[in-house]
Amino acid sequence: MISGVKHVNSNPFFFFKKHYCPKCSEKLKVVKESKIVNSNSPEAKNYDFSLGDTYLSGDVKIIFKMLECPKCKTRFSAEEIKKQNRR
């Protein structure tokens, strides 16, 4: 049973800009992805479970944005695209 939902937006302005697929150069689209993370699992150290004054515990649905190429269907995180753009 999911005890809460957390939206992760590390850099919302990044997703307003145009980005292109490193594989085929098609313009990327913003898509939402989610995963269930237990607040007591080793993976939990990668996420912030606070929600204002509340701390979410147990199984929490984490929702985050990704970039997807409509042509080759490859998904990229913001960090992957930022690394690619530095090259």
Side-chain angles (χ1 to χ4, degrees):
M1 186 165 123
I2 297 173
S3 63
V5 176
K6 172 81 178 198
H7 291 266
V8 177
N9 269 335
S10 58
N11 187 352
F13 296 110
F14 176 83
F15 292 99
F16 285 117
K17 298 177 184 176
K18 292 180 184 177
H19 300 283
Y20 297 90
C21 180
K23 293 184 176 184
C24 67
S25 302
E26 188 76 18
K27 183 180 171 191
L28 298 172
K29 293 186 177 193
V30 178
V31 294
K32 288 185 181 179
E33 197 167 296
S34 66
K35 75 187 306 185
I36 306 298
V37 179
N38 188 288
S39 62
N40 299 314
S41 71
E43 184 183 16
K45 69 179 186 227
N46 300 324
Y47 299 96
D48 176 16
F49 288 87
S50 61
L51 195 60
D53 294 340
T54 306
Y55 182 80
L56 301 171
S57 63
D59 289 336
V60 177
K61 184 176 186 177
I62 307 289
I63 300 172
F64 50 95
K65 292 181 180 177
M66 300 280 289
L67 294 165
E68 182 179 75
C69 177
K71 186 175 180 182
C72 68
K73 301 298 182 195
T74 305
R75 286 192 176 189
F76 303 94
S77 68
E79 291 75 27
E80 289 173 308
I81 295 299
K82 286 177 188 177
K83 279 183 189 177
Q84 188 70 28
N85 290 341
R86 286 186 211 136
R87 293 182 184 170

